[in-house]
Amino acid sequence: MPPPPDTVKVAIEWPGAFPKLMEIDQKKPLSAIIKEVCEGWSLGNHENFALQIADTNFYITEKNRNEIKNGSILRLTTSPHQTATQLHERIQSSSMDAKLEALKDLASASRDITFALEFISMDGISLLTQMVESGTERYQKLQKIMKPCFGDLLSFTLTAFVELMDHGIVSWDTFSVAFIKKIASYVNKSAMDTAVLQRSLAILESMVLNSQDLYHKVAQEITIGQLIPHLQGTDQDIQTYTIAVINALFLKAPEERRQEMAHILAQKQLRSIILSSVIRGSTPINDEMAHQLYVLQVLTFNLLEDRMMTKMDPQDQAQRDVIFELRRIAFDVESEANNGGSTEKRKSMYTRDYKKLGFINHVNPAVDFTQIPPGMLALDNMLYFARHHQDAYIRIVLENSSREDKHECPFGRSSIELTKMLCEILKVGELPGENCHDFHPMFFTHDRSFEEFFCICIQLLNKTWKEMRATSEDFNKVMQVVREQIMRALTLKPNSLDQFKSRLQNLSYAEILKIRQSERMNQEDFQSRPILELREKIQPEIMELIKQQRLNRLCEGTCFRKISSRRRQDKFWYCRLSPNHKVLHYGDLEESPQGEVPHDSLQDKLPVADIKAVITGKDCPHMKEKGALKQNKEVLELAFSILYESDEYLNFIAPDKHEYCVWTDGLNALLGKEMTSDYTKSDMDTLLSMEMKLRLLDLENIQIPEAPPPIPKEPSNYDFVYDCN
C-alpha cells in the first residue's frame, strides 16, 4: 500500500551507527522530527541537531523540506548555528594543521545558504577579511618552508569568502582598501598558487561589477599590464577569469575613461596576445571563455557608438577637410588654394566631383553625414578605406563615374548605408547578452577590425551592384542582398578577415539566387488537392516519428546547469527518462558529465503518471522567485517546470534552445499533448518536404526490382583511397 501523500520514506545516517529507515510526515514540524530522530539514538539537546541531504550536505529547513523525496538519504548532524560557532572558533586556531582543516570544512559548508546566514551573523565575513589582510603576513614567513600549506590556507580562505558572498547577503561596498590591496597583490604576483589566483580574480571581478566605488579602488590597484601575463599561460580557467576582470573594468569605466582604456589595451597588444594564446591556443575554447570573448568583442565595438551617434557639423572646416581629402585622393586634384579659376568654376568642379563620389547632396556633402546612425562613423570608414586601400578606393570611384548615370553605384551613399548596416549586424551600442557566446575570431586578427570589415564589405557591395546590373532604383534591393551575403559568411565563423573575404567571393549574386531558389523549393507548399490530401495522410506518420525521436532523446538524458549569481561556479544536475517511459530519474552531479549518466546513479525519481503539467517561460516558479533571472530574456526563454502532486515543481533551465524544445516536446508527448515547439515545426517541414519529394519522384519508365540487388563481391584488396574532394 503506498504511503500517504504527505509522507516520505527516507534513510537517516548518524556517524558510528546503522542508518535508520523512517517515514517523515511533512505536516509535522521539522523540530519534532529531529527530536524523534535524536531520541531514537539516545541523543539529548535535540535543538543542537539538524538534518542534511547526504549527497549535497545542504541543511533541510521548513522552506526547502518539500525537496525531500521518497528514497532520499538524510544525515543527522549538528545544527547550522552549532556548526557555524565551531568553525568560527576552529579557523582561529593557533595550529596550522587545525586551521587548514577548519578552513577546508568552511569552504565546503559555505555553499549552503542556511549555514551562510548563521556564519555571517557571527561577523564571519569580517573575520575572513581580517585573516586575509593581516593574518597572511604571519603565514608568509612560513611560506618558504610550508609553501603548499600556505597556498591551501589562502585558497580555502578565499573559496569560503567567495561562496559566502555568492549568496548576496552582504554588500560588496563594506570592504576596506586594505582588503582590496591584499587581493590585488595576489593577482599582481608573478608566481602565485593557481587556486588563489582564480579566487582573487573572481573577487576582483565581483567587486567591480557590484560597486561603482569599488571599481575606482580596484582600478587603482590593477593595471592591464599586470593582468596580461595571466593570459599568456596555458590554464584556460585563469585566462577566462583574467578576461572577465578586463571586461568588468571596461564595462564599469566612465565614458571618458573607456577610450583611454582601449588605447592602453592596444599599446599592451592585448588583442594579439588573446589571438595567439587563447583563440589559437592548444586548448579548445569552452563556453565560458567564448562568452567572455564575446563580451570583449561587444565592448570594443561599443567604443564606436560615440562616433556613430555624432552628427557632422557642415560649418566645421576640419570635418569638411576630410571630404576634400576624399576628393583629392580619388581624382588626384590639388588643394583649393592652388586651383586657378573663378569661385563659380571651382564650385562647379566640386559639385561634379562630389556627384562622382556618390554623395546625395552634391553641393554640400557634409549634410549627408547629419543622419544618425551612422553619423561621423561613416566618414571615418570612408577615409580609412581611401588611405589604407587607396587603389581599391580609386578603382571603385573612377569605375562608377565612367558608367551611365543610372547604373553607377554611389560610393558615398553606399558607404553611409553600409556603415549603418554593419553597426546593426554587430549590435553596436547594445549591452552584451548574459548567455551569448557569439564571438568572431576574425575580429581579433586586426587592430582596426571594424574598418577592415567595412573595406571588405564596400568592395563586396560594388561587386554585387555590377553582378545585379543595378540602377539607382535598385539600391535597397542591392543592400538586402549584401546583408544576406555578409550574414551567411559570418555564420561560418571565419578565422581571419582573409577567410571572410574568400567566403564572400563564393557568395556571388548568382549563388545567392541559387540558395534562395533552393530554400524556396524546400519550403514550397503545393496547393493542388491531391498533394494536400497526400500531405494530410503523411503528417501523422511524421509526427509519430518526431515523437519517438524526442522520447529517445529524453531516455538519453541531459545535463542541466543550476543558475547562480556567479556564472562560472557551475553546479549541475542530470535528468533522463527510463526506457519504459514511466519514470524520470534525476540527481545532482559534481561536474558536467562526458557521456550518459546511468539510471542507478541518479537518486531521485518522478513517476510520469504524477506529472500534471509542463509550465514554460515567465510562469515557471523559479523565474518568479529569482527577480534577476526574470529580467534576463535569454534565460527566461530556456526555463520550464514540471508540476506534480499538489503543488510540487521540478525546475529546469535548458542549456540551449535545442534542448529546451526537445524536453518540452518530449514531456508534452508523455502527457499526450501536442508538441508545439519551433523545433517540431522545423522538423515537420523538413521531413514532410523530403517525404513528399520522394513520393512524387518521376518513376515513369523506371523498373523497380522485386528483390534487392545482389551484394557485389569483396575487392581483392583494400589498398585504395577515395578522395571525396
Side-chain angles (χ1 to χ4, degrees):
M1 183 176 178
D6 294 317
T7 301
V8 288
K9 292 183 176 182
V10 299
I12 302 179
E13 299 175 335
W14 172 250
F18 286 108
K20 284 189 174 183
L21 296 178
M22 186 174 179
E23 289 189 2
I24 292 180
D25 184 355
Q26 290 286 42
K27 291 182 179 178
K28 197 173 180 181
L30 192 58
S31 57
I33 295 170
I34 293 170
K35 182 179 179 182
E36 183 183 338
V37 174
C38 289
E39 288 173 350
W41 273 308
S42 302
L43 299 171
N45 300 322
H46 69 274
E47 61 275 2
N48 291 334
F49 291 91
L51 290 173
Q52 285 182 335
I53 302 288
D55 292 335
T56 62
N57 292 332
F58 284 1
Y59 282 101
I60 296 168
T61 64
E62 291 291 354
K63 286 185 178 179
N64 66 13
R65 62 184 296 175
N66 287 331
E67 295 178 12
I68 303 174
K69 309 298 178 191
N70 279 316
S72 294
I73 300 175
L74 310 184
R75 180 185 297 119
L76 183 66
T77 186
T78 52
S79 68
H81 179 77
Q82 283 286 106
T83 306
T85 304
Q86 292 168 7
L87 284 173
H88 196 275
E89 294 173 1
R90 288 171 57 203
I91 62 175
Q92 299 179 73
S93 170
S94 57
S95 164
M96 291 286 281
D97 290 339
K99 184 188 285 285
L100 180 61
E101 197 62 33
L103 286 169
K104 184 177 180 180
D105 292 343
L106 178 62
S108 175
S110 297
R111 295 182 301 119
D112 180 27
I113 191 169
T114 310
F115 168 84
L117 286 165
E118 292 288 348
F119 189 77
I120 289 170
S121 70
M122 299 173 185
D123 277 339
I125 292 279
S126 299
L127 177 59
L128 291 176
T129 55
Q130 287 168 17
M131 291 170 64
V132 172
E133 288 172 25
S134 57
T136 51
E137 270 88 2
R138 184 159 56 86
Y139 304 144
Q140 282 173 330
K141 294 176 184 177
L142 303 171
Q143 188 175 3
K144 288 184 180 179
I145 56 173
M146 302 181 67
K147 188 170 182 180
C149 183
F150 167 74
D152 290 343
L153 269 173
L154 197 49
S155 172
F156 289 132
T157 304
L158 296 179
T159 300
F161 175 84
V162 169
E163 292 289 357
L164 291 168
M165 291 303 297
D166 190 24
H167 298 296
I169 301 166
V170 179
S171 169
W172 283 93
D173 285 308
T174 57
F175 299 108
S176 67
V177 174
F179 179 71
I180 297 169
K181 284 179 179 290
K182 185 60 69 175
I183 297 298
S185 72
Y186 300 142
V187 173
N188 292 337
K189 282 184 181 175
S190 56
M192 178 51 69
D193 180 82
T194 302
V196 172
L197 182 57
Q198 276 190 12
R199 306 297 185 276
S200 300
L201 288 166
I203 291 169
L204 290 178
E205 182 201 4
S206 294
M207 284 179 172
V208 172
L209 291 177
N210 287 287
S211 169
Q212 193 65 32
D213 184 46
L214 287 183
Y215 156 74
H216 293 290
K217 292 174 181 175
V218 172
Q220 289 173 355
E221 300 298 326
I222 293 288
T223 66
I224 301 300
Q226 290 163 329
L227 290 171
I228 281 178
H230 301 312
L231 292 173
Q232 294 172 313
T234 56
D235 188 318
Q236 191 168 111
D237 288 336
I238 295 294
Q239 292 173 326
T240 303
Y241 279 86
T242 303
I243 296 177
V245 173
I246 293 171
N247 286 339
L249 290 168
F250 219 136
L251 191 63
K252 288 294 180 177
E255 289 292 333
E256 65 277 6
R257 175 99 174 89
R258 288 184 188 174
Q259 292 290 350
E260 184 185 336
M261 268 195 75
H263 181 64
I264 293 170
L265 293 178
Q267 280 186 328
K268 298 293 183 183
Q269 297 184 321
L270 176 71
R271 177 200 58 76
S272 59
I273 290 170
I274 289 176
L275 181 66
S276 59
S277 300
V278 179
I279 297 175
R280 294 177 180 171
S282 57
T283 308
I285 291 176
N286 59 31
D287 285 348
E288 184 54 37
M289 175 59 86
H291 172 73
Q292 294 301 338
L293 290 172
Y294 153 77
V295 172
L296 183 59
Q297 173 185 291
V298 171
L299 294 176
T300 304
F301 283 141
N302 280 356
L303 294 171
L304 304 169
E305 184 181 12
D306 183 51
R307 294 293 284 173
M308 181 181 78
M309 301 306 291
T310 300
K311 292 182 179 181
M312 186 173 186
D313 180 2
Q315 306 307 317
D316 188 317
Q317 187 59 44
Q319 294 180 358
R320 293 175 66 188
D321 285 345
V322 176
I323 298 176
F324 294 151
E325 178 72 358
L326 290 174
R327 173 176 174 266
R328 185 194 66 76
I329 295 172
F331 304 114
D332 195 22
V333 293
E334 306 231 342
S335 65
E336 181 180 353
N338 295 330
N339 279 331
S342 65
T343 303
E344 289 300 320
K345 186 176 179 182
R346 284 202 302 272
K347 282 185 178 179
S348 174
M349 287 171 57
Y350 289 150
T351 301
R352 181 199 66 200
D353 289 347
Y354 291 148
K355 184 180 179 184
K356 289 180 179 179
L357 280 168
F359 291 112
I360 297 172
N361 191 317
H362 306 152
V363 177
N364 186 7
V367 175
D368 289 14
F369 300 98
T370 57
Q371 171 197 345
I372 55 170
M376 290 295 291
L377 185 60
L379 186 58
D380 294 342
N381 282 339
M382 292 168 71
L383 185 62
Y384 181 90
F385 181 49
R387 285 178 172 171
H388 293 84
H389 300 270
Q390 197 171 108
D391 291 344
Y393 167 69
I394 293 171
R395 187 183 69 252
I396 287 175
V397 173
L398 297 183
E399 197 175 82
N400 285 292
S401 63
S402 63
R403 291 181 190 162
E404 297 178 37
D405 280 355
K406 66 175 185 177
H407 282 291
E408 66 182 10
C409 176
F411 173 73
R413 182 186 175 191
S414 299
S415 297
I416 292 168
E417 289 302 317
L418 179 63
T419 301
K420 183 180 177 182
M421 180 201 293
L422 298 183
C423 288
E424 290 171 357
I425 290 172
L426 298 176
K427 300 180 180 179
V428 174
E430 295 184 23
L431 287 175
E434 177 66 21
N435 289 318
C436 189
H437 310 112
D438 190 26
F439 88 97
H440 293 276
M442 73 179 194
F443 291 129
F444 290 85
T445 63
H446 202 285
D447 288 326
R448 304 288 294 273
S449 59
F450 184 79
E451 290 88 342
E452 289 292 325
F453 186 40
F454 168 84
C455 294
I456 293 170
C457 293
I458 193 66
Q459 293 176 76
L460 168 73
L461 193 154
N462 187 66
K463 173 174 169 283
T464 302
W465 184 282
K466 288 189 290 185
E467 290 173 349
M468 293 178 68
R469 298 180 182 177
T471 63
S472 54
E473 288 81 12
D474 300 319
F475 185 86
N476 290 334
K477 192 184 295 183
V478 174
M479 293 304 294
Q480 288 172 6
V481 173
V482 169
R483 186 187 191 100
E484 185 175 344
Q485 289 170 315
I486 294 169
M487 293 299 291
R488 288 186 184 277
L490 285 177
T491 303
L492 299 170
K493 290 288 178 75
N495 290 318
S496 66
L497 289 163
D498 285 339
Q499 200 175 93
F500 173 69
K501 192 173 182 179
S502 175
R503 297 267 165 84
L504 288 176
Q505 291 293 332
N506 296 328
L507 286 169
S508 63
Y509 177 56
E511 184 63 26
I512 290 293
L513 288 179
K514 286 181 185 177
I515 294 170
R516 286 179 175 180
Q517 175 79 9
S518 173
E519 290 175 349
R520 199 160 37 240
M521 287 180 66
N522 289 335
Q523 296 168 2
E524 195 168 21
D525 189 9
F526 302 105
Q527 296 301 316
S528 65
R529 187 174 172 182
I531 299 295
L532 292 175
E533 288 178 357
L534 180 59
R535 283 175 65 89
E536 288 177 12
K537 182 180 178 182
I538 295 172
Q539 217 157 346
E541 300 174 20
I542 302 295
M543 187 58 75
E544 182 61 29
L545 187 65
I546 295 171
K547 175 183 172 182
Q548 290 304 318
Q549 188 273 339
R550 298 293 191 269
L551 294 176
N552 289 340
R553 276 290 292 107
L554 263 61
C555 290
E556 292 173 13
T558 301
C559 178
F560 296 93
R561 183 163 58 93
K562 290 186 175 182
I563 296 291
S564 67
S565 57
R566 292 193 55 78
R567 298 184 77 257
R568 287 183 306 283
Q569 296 221 340
D570 288 342
K571 297 168 184 176
F572 302 94
W573 67 288
Y574 200 88
C575 187
R576 63 182 299 181
L577 181 66
S578 62
N580 61 8
H581 300 171
K582 292 186 177 181
V583 179
L584 283 174
H585 298 262
Y586 63 97
D588 292 341
L589 301 175
E590 289 298 321
E591 57 184 8
S592 181
Q594 297 302 312
E596 290 184 20
V597 176
H599 293 94
D600 52 13
S601 65
L602 302 172
Q603 302 83 5
D604 299 310
K605 297 179 182 179
L606 173 59
V608 171
D610 290 350
I611 299 176
K612 294 186 175 180
V614 178
I615 303 164
T616 60
K618 63 182 180 181
D619 296 324
C620 295
H622 55 319
M623 291 294 100
K624 294 178 180 178
E625 291 168 8
K626 300 184 180 180
L629 289 180
K630 194 173 181 182
Q631 302 302 320
N632 191 325
K633 186 179 177 183
E634 292 180 13
V635 173
L636 202 62
E637 290 175 349
L638 300 176
F640 62 98
S641 299
I642 294 174
L643 171 64
Y644 62 98
E645 293 183 359
S646 55
D647 194 20
E648 299 287 327
Y649 294 92
L650 186 60
N651 299 318
F652 299 74
I653 294 179
D656 51 46
K657 188 69 176 176
H658 175 270
E659 289 296 325
Y660 170 84
C661 292
V662 165
W663 274 85
T664 51
D665 282 344
L667 292 170
N668 281 323
L670 286 172
L671 298 178
K673 295 182 179 179
E674 188 179 353
M675 298 184 293
T676 58
S677 76
D678 295 339
Y679 191 44
T680 291
K681 291 173 186 172
S682 173
D683 281 356
M684 173 60 77
D685 290 342
T686 302
L687 294 172
L688 193 57
S689 172
M690 193 182 302
E691 185 67 17
M692 290 289 291
K693 288 174 182 176
L694 286 172
R695 297 203 183 191
L696 294 173
L697 281 174
D698 184 6
L699 299 179
E700 188 176 354
N701 297 324
I702 297 176
Q703 186 176 359
I704 301 174
E706 294 291 332
I711 299 172
K713 293 180 180 179
E714 290 189 10
S716 57
N717 64 68
Y718 291 89
D719 300 334
F720 57 86
V721 173
Y722 181 76
D723 186 355
C724 296
N725 296 319

